[in-house]
Amino acid sequence: MSRRGFDLAATLDLLERTPRVLDGLLRSTGEDWHAVDEGPQTWSARDVVGHLVYGEETDWIPRARILLEHGEQRTFEPFDRFAQLERFAGWSMERLLERFGELRRANLEIVRVWQLTDAELGQRGRHPEFGSVTLQQLLATWAAHDLNHLAQIARVMAKRHTGAVGPWRAYLSILDPS
Amino acid sequence: MSRRGFDLAATLDLLERTPRVLDGLLRSTGEDWHAVDEGPQTWSARDVVGHLVYGEETDWIPRARILLEHGEQRTFEPFDRFAQLERFAGWSMERLLERFGELRRANLEIVRVWQLTDAELGQRGRHPEFGSVTLQQLLATWAAHDLNHLAQIARVMAKRHTGAVGPWRAYLSILDPS
């Protein structure tokens, strides 16, 4: 397994930053910034934050536990990528951000208490779709997934100005239909 | 001119958030997070922050001033999108972030002091490439440009984990070559 580019401390540091970054970007913004989506079947910033909260509740740490306790003998629960749309219906952005911050803090504390060794990072579990995966891949994905959705939120927010930027649209590839 | 989606106060609010967001994401990170680029001729997170600083120094407010003072009679200076690579060579990420925060605060203060009216927002200037543009389009672009580069930074940072995520790469379109 290649460890290139992976560093546990740097990964946990990044994961710790995300709630602060999203707070800075979204807390106390109006609906115009966070309830706008990119069209039918797309997510608003609010939906994305709900998805991140749901991941903290049901995905990353529960899967890491299954992996550490059962190895490849027990397949992870499939992650429902749309559950947040019902689960957090009616929640304000503030409530979502707060919940995300609390859960992320608690989850990172769990990982730190584990004091993972290289051997444990290389331990394998079973993904319902991909099959054999390592704990290190799961943790690397957790951080990349944060960054993926941060980029998505920035893109969705930028779309608010698609018309307003006028001819500058030619320079702003972020405004292209996705 | 369509005002759809544009709100001056919300635009200034967004612009005010960006230094905080970038601080949260990048301050005190290691080179592994902020010096990595996406290959030849691409920018690292550090290069992007340098580009944002350079924009504060030479682009948005200087252009707005030309527009307000000379209308379409005087063409904006062309913006050098690569100048920051020399201008800020050797600057630490911390220094760039601090400079960005200071300049952004000062620039937003200038805009607030102007107390722009709808008539002024509709006033026109001359872009060296696009020709006639309005002040409102310039301000809308300033905010969309922030979000564009925030998404870019998230993408470049995520690439650090391209190999480390293993089979999850299939779910993370952010890791595709750009």
Side-chain angles (χ1 to χ4, degrees):
Chain A
M1 172 186 51
S2 165
R3 290 270 160 83
R4 179 167 166 273
F6 184 83
D7 177 274
L8 180 60
T11 299
L12 299 181
D13 175 58
L14 190 282
L15 287 164
E16 192 169 2
R17 289 167 184 267
T18 308
R20 217 156 60 225
V21 169
L22 295 181
D23 263 32
L25 192 58
L26 293 166
R27 188 179 290 268
S28 311
T29 50
E31 298 268 308
D32 284 344
W33 281 124
H34 66 242
V36 178
D37 59 33
E38 299 176 284
Q41 312 297 320
T42 66
W43 287 359
S44 65
R46 222 186 124 281
D47 295 331
V48 176
V49 178
H51 168 73
L52 291 172
V53 175
Y54 196 67
E56 295 303 303
E57 289 179 341
T58 68
D59 189 349
W60 310 105
I61 292 294
R63 285 182 168 189
R65 274 193 213 282
I66 291 171
L67 182 153
L68 286 168
E69 289 170 22
H70 304 280
E72 296 185 78
Q73 300 308 311
R74 195 171 132 199
T75 304
F76 305 152
E77 298 294 321
F79 180 67
D80 185 341
R81 281 185 285 171
F82 299 95
Q84 82 279 2
L85 302 177
E86 283 198 11
R87 162 102 178 76
F88 303 115
W91 284 44
S92 69
M93 178 56 91
E94 273 60 41
R95 190 171 168 204
L96 286 169
L97 289 169
E98 259 153 52
R99 179 63 61 94
F100 180 54
E102 286 163 11
L103 290 170
R104 176 57 62 88
R105 249 192 318 278
N107 283 335
L108 290 176
E109 187 54 29
I110 289 169
V111 177
R112 291 207 175 91
V113 166
W114 284 338
Q115 302 199 36
L116 294 167
T117 62
D118 276 1
E120 284 164 322
L121 287 170
Q123 209 169 305
R124 290 181 173 278
R126 185 157 299 279
H127 185 282
E129 188 178 334
F130 305 135
S132 184
V133 292
T134 66
L135 179 58
Q136 177 168 297
Q137 288 168 344
L138 176 75
L139 298 176
T141 301
W142 193 6
H145 179 267
D146 270 18
L147 292 165
N148 192 16
H149 286 296
L150 173 60
Q152 179 185 15
I153 287 171
R155 188 185 73 224
V156 178
M157 292 175 77
K159 292 257 165 89
R160 175 178 179 182
H161 279 183
T162 301
V165 300
W168 268 286
R169 182 162 174 177
Y171 279 171
L172 294 163
S173 58
I174 198 170
L175 300 180
D176 296 343
S178 39
Chain B
M1 172 188 50
S2 165
R3 291 271 160 83
R4 180 169 165 274
F6 184 84
D7 177 274
L8 180 59
T11 299
L12 299 181
D13 175 57
L14 190 281
L15 287 163
E16 194 169 0
R17 290 168 183 268
T18 308
R20 219 158 55 226
V21 169
L22 294 181
D23 264 32
L25 193 57
L26 293 167
R27 189 179 289 268
S28 311
T29 49
E31 298 268 309
D32 284 344
W33 281 123
H34 66 244
V36 177
D37 59 31
E38 299 175 284
Q41 313 297 318
T42 66
W43 287 359
S44 66
R46 222 187 125 279
D47 296 330
V48 177
V49 178
H51 168 73
L52 291 171
V53 175
Y54 196 68
E56 295 303 302
E57 289 179 341
T58 68
D59 189 349
W60 310 105
I61 292 295
R63 286 182 167 188
R65 274 193 214 280
I66 292 171
L67 183 153
L68 286 168
E69 289 169 20
H70 305 280
E72 296 184 76
Q73 300 307 309
R74 196 172 132 198
T75 304
F76 305 153
E77 299 294 321
F79 180 67
D80 185 340
R81 282 184 282 170
F82 299 95
Q84 81 280 359
L85 303 177
E86 282 197 13
R87 164 101 177 76
F88 303 115
W91 284 43
S92 68
M93 177 57 90
E94 274 60 41
R95 190 170 168 204
L96 286 168
L97 289 169
E98 257 153 51
R99 178 63 60 94
F100 180 56
E102 285 163 11
L103 289 170
R104 175 57 62 87
R105 248 191 319 278
N107 284 335
L108 291 177
E109 187 54 28
I110 291 169
V111 177
R112 292 208 174 90
V113 166
W114 284 339
Q115 301 198 35
L116 295 166
T117 62
D118 276 2
E120 284 164 320
L121 286 171
Q123 210 169 304
R124 289 182 174 277
R126 185 157 299 280
H127 186 281
E129 188 178 334
F130 306 135
S132 183
V133 292
T134 66
L135 179 57
Q136 176 168 297
Q137 288 168 345
L138 176 73
L139 298 176
T141 302
W142 193 6
H145 180 266
D146 270 18
L147 292 166
N148 192 16
H149 286 296
L150 173 60
Q152 179 184 13
I153 288 171
R155 188 186 73 224
V156 178
M157 292 175 77
K159 293 258 165 86
R160 175 179 180 181
H161 279 183
T162 301
V165 300
W168 267 286
R169 182 159 175 181
Y171 279 171
L172 293 163
S173 59
I174 199 169
L175 300 180
D176 296 343
S178 40

